[in-house]
Amino acid sequence: MLRNPAEKYRPFPAVRLTGRKWPSRTIDAAPVWMSTDLRDGNQALIEPMNAAQKLEYFEMLVAIGFKEIEVGFPSASQTDFDFVRKLIDERRIPDDVTIEVFVPSRAELIARTFDALEGAPRAIVHLYNAICPSFRRIVFQQSKDEIKALAVEGTRVIKEYAQARPGTRWTFQYSPETFNTTELPFAREVCDAVAQTWRPTRNHKMIVNLPASVEAATPNVFADQIEWMHRNLGYRDSIVLSVHPHNDRGTAVAAAQLALMAGADRIEGCLFGNGERTGNVDLVTLAMNLDAMGIDIGLDFSDLAAIRRVAERCTRLPVAARHPYAGEVAMRGTRAARDADADGDQCGASSRDRAEDCVTA
């Protein structure tokens, strides 16, 4: 710890956004949910899941109600490649579920990815490359134009492979990795160039996914960034605007909720917040927060104890006892409240009635 942290750290710059609308909005519908437990969550584990564990987890996600599931990074791992093939060859993907795979903007890895997806009825191909100043300067040593060209070339190659395989319904997804620490005009420029190459339509949209790759600001700043992109992206009516919040500052759930108010249509995350470093946004907490607002979330978390057991067994990660909804302490409190409701019904007043009295008072 520094005596004067200002010697090393600077406040995150504010977004120049006039007339921001998200602060006055409320969430009134669930987003499109995308589970990345089997990709982002899995690659963050000390010991990644084996095929049997991945299949058990996949089937649990399907039972919960996820319609989009990122199942792996097939060009980076033989285990992931084989798992994608298993799902396709054994016809384990329900008709209403779309699998997603992750790939960097490299031609040979894109080719390998399409080998893994051969014969899939539907698939999302998720392309990414880092675009922020530090990556451009330190990692790639490339200009803005070169970074943009890398994204465009990856998109062109994916489009070419997809057009050669008309038996699959392809959806294209692009993530400008490190979006949240990138200049907004450049992030828009890259996303627009990618969309111009893919040419989405209102009837066949593409996904633009905006990750907080390393959470670096307060949730209101992320909401401003999302609203700025929502307002300024080209092809906006042909784009599903997605967010992928990480939890480095412990505010991923708040950032995701404000992002929905700011124009996001879709959320990527993991059950119980698994993922790199401090994790992805916790989809259980986020979804249950919306459920508690009276929103039909489209997911079934009625048996959180069973879901928690499968997640803990497959990932070898314990769910914290004080997790807001699924922790042992929280569930014990839920059981106690349920028992109190039953007792209250017998004497004419439930705990919910008493809680409403407190709010009224």
Side-chain angles (χ1 to χ4, degrees), residues 5-282:
E7 293 176 355
K8 182 177 181 180
Y9 301 109
R10 296 187 300 275
F12 198 91
V15 177
R16 294 182 179 179
L17 184 69
T18 57
R20 56 180 53 79
K21 299 187 182 304
W22 67 260
S24 61
R25 290 177 176 155
T26 56
I27 303 170
D28 58 9
V32 176
W33 302 105
M34 204 291 290
S35 161
T36 187
D37 288 84
L38 298 176
R39 197 279 298 174
D40 199 345
N42 186 54
Q43 71 187 37
L45 299 175
I46 295 174
E47 186 176 345
M49 288 181 259
N50 59 35
Q53 291 166 330
K54 290 194 79 168
L55 183 58
E56 181 182 10
Y57 211 110
F58 175 80
E59 291 178 343
M60 176 183 69
L61 293 171
V62 169
I64 290 169
F66 285 95
K67 304 305 180 187
E68 295 183 3
I69 302 172
E70 194 166 42
V71 294
F73 194 158
S75 66
S77 161
Q78 188 63 44
T79 300
D80 276 16
F81 185 98
D82 292 343
F83 179 67
V84 175
R85 290 307 322 157
K86 181 180 182 69
L87 293 177
I88 296 168
D89 292 339
E90 297 181 5
R91 301 180 182 275
R92 292 180 177 271
I93 307 166
D95 291 341
D96 60 348
V97 172
T98 302
I99 61 170
E100 176 175 324
V101 295
F102 196 60
V103 63
S105 190
R106 289 175 51 184
E108 71 278 13
L109 300 184
I110 292 170
R112 176 72 168 163
T113 298
F114 275 86
D115 287 343
L117 290 170
E118 191 70 42
R122 297 159 309 283
I124 300 169
V125 182
H126 181 182
L127 178 76
Y128 76 96
N129 68 304
I131 68 170
C132 72
S134 58
F135 270 79
R136 297 196 308 257
R137 185 181 69 253
I138 301 167
V139 179
F140 299 117
Q141 298 179 1
Q142 290 183 335
S143 68
K144 287 182 175 180
D145 285 344
E146 289 171 315
I147 292 293
K148 180 171 69 174
L150 181 65
V152 168
E153 177 61 12
T155 305
R156 186 196 66 77
V157 173
I158 288 173
K159 186 174 184 178
E160 186 177 281
Y161 275 100
Q163 288 175 336
R165 293 161 175 79
T168 299
R169 180 170 176 82
W170 301 103
T171 298
F172 176 61
Q173 173 171 332
Y174 175 66
S175 285
E177 189 185 9
T178 63
F179 157 76
N180 63 313
T181 52
T182 299
E183 312 94 317
L184 285 171
F186 182 59
R188 177 194 60 193
E189 182 181 338
V190 175
C191 292
D192 282 354
V194 163
Q196 177 69 20
T197 304
W198 185 259
R199 294 296 182 97
T201 67
R202 291 183 182 181
N203 294 326
H204 195 176
K205 296 183 178 184
M206 66 173 281
I207 301 165
V208 171
N209 182 58
L210 303 177
S213 299
V214 177
E215 190 178 37
T218 49
N220 62 297
V221 172
F222 189 61
D224 279 353
Q225 292 174 322
I226 300 307
E227 183 167 336
W228 192 95
M229 292 291 282
H230 172 60
R231 291 186 192 180
N232 291 287
L233 274 176
Y235 291 88
R236 180 64 185 94
D237 62 353
S238 301
I239 284 172
V240 176
L241 188 59
S242 175
V243 293
H244 183 117
H246 277 232
N247 198 42
D248 300 84
R249 294 168 62 102
T251 58
V253 169
Q257 290 177 174
L258 297 192
L260 291 175
M261 294 159 61
D265 308 305
R266 179 178 183 267
I267 302 283
E268 297 192 348
C270 291
L271 302 184
F272 310 114
N274 181 29
E276 301 165 276
R277 301 177 313 279
T278 56
N280 293 278
V281 65
D282 179 347

